[in-house]
Amino acid sequence: MFNSIVLSKKMITKGSVFKGFVFNTLLLTTLLFTSLQATADQFKQFANLEVHYIALPSTFIEPSIATQYNIKRSKNNGLLNISVLDSKQNKQAVEATLKGTGKNLIGQTHQLEFRQIKEGKAIYYLAEYPFTNEEIVNFEINVKTEKKSNTLKFQHKFYVD
């Protein structure tokens, strides 16, 4: 299950439900229109942890949502959204420390700076990545929880909108 759907189910306060609903609806709509770029069920299983991830151009996020979450909207700025869920605890969100890099095919590396977002019981991590049109990026992200450290690796091709 994609993390934005899980996130909307996990929100409990009225204010965060509305904000989360708007953000998650926009993110889900974006996914539906970018099915060639991303699959809604992108996750990696590490024992009892599910690490859900998506990368997309920041221009797919509405300006008001980008402002609210301090996301730079630009045709050359990508957004990574990662959430960590415990599959043995009814897919409850898990706090983690994320560190990683994005590396293009000519070897240019960009250090990712993740920000934790909490909305009710939902927890997710956002990082931005600069890209050029049709750039293929290999992401390698260390996901460290209280008990364990795992490495998430995936590749994404960005397109300028």
Side-chain angles (χ1 to χ4, degrees):
M1 180 178 245
F2 178 65
N3 60 357
S4 72
I5 296 168
V6 172
L7 293 176
S8 63
K9 290 179 181 175
K10 299 286 184 182
M11 295 179 203
I12 56 173
T13 64
K14 288 182 182 180
S16 70
V17 169
F18 178 73
K19 290 177 192 174
F21 175 76
V22 171
F23 181 77
N24 293 328
T25 301
L26 291 171
L27 193 55
L28 188 56
T29 302
T30 298
L31 287 174
L32 294 174
F33 288 110
T34 60
S35 61
L36 294 176
Q37 294 181 28
T39 303
D41 284 338
Q42 289 182 298
F43 73 93
K44 177 92 178 193
Q45 187 82 37
F46 297 105
N48 64 310
L49 295 180
E50 287 183 9
V51 180
H52 292 252
Y53 61 92
I54 185 169
L56 59 137
S58 63
T59 54
F60 287 10
I61 305 299
E62 290 294 319
S64 61
I65 301 300
T67 299
Q68 177 182 344
Y69 290 94
N70 198 27
I71 298 167
K72 178 184 172 191
R73 290 184 80 247
S74 166
K75 69 178 186 172
N76 295 104
N77 191 50
L79 179 67
L80 277 72
N81 181 350
I82 297 178
S83 63
V84 183
L85 307 175
D86 188 334
S87 59
K88 291 185 178 177
Q89 297 293 321
N90 200 22
K91 300 205 181 199
Q92 181 177 350
V94 175
E95 287 202 39
T97 301
L98 279 67
K99 293 183 181 181
T101 58
K103 186 176 185 180
N104 65 16
L105 297 182
I106 61 172
Q108 295 171 319
T109 302
H110 178 80
Q111 190 70 35
L112 300 170
E113 295 180 25
F114 286 93
R115 296 180 285 125
Q116 183 186 69
I117 307 293
K118 283 187 171 184
E119 292 182 338
K121 292 183 179 180
I123 304 170
Y124 49 99
Y125 301 88
L126 300 178
E128 296 179 56
Y129 183 87
F131 68 90
T132 58
N133 193 37
E134 297 189 21
E135 183 171 26
I136 297 172
V137 181
N138 292 301
F139 291 102
E140 186 169 321
I141 302 161
N142 180 268
V143 180
K144 184 178 180 184
T145 61
E146 183 180 289
K147 299 177 183 178
K148 204 170 188 187
S149 183
N150 297 288
T151 302
L152 170 67
K153 294 181 182 182
F154 68 97
Q155 185 179 79
H156 184 77
K157 186 172 186 177
F158 286 100
Y159 296 90
V160 171
D161 192 22

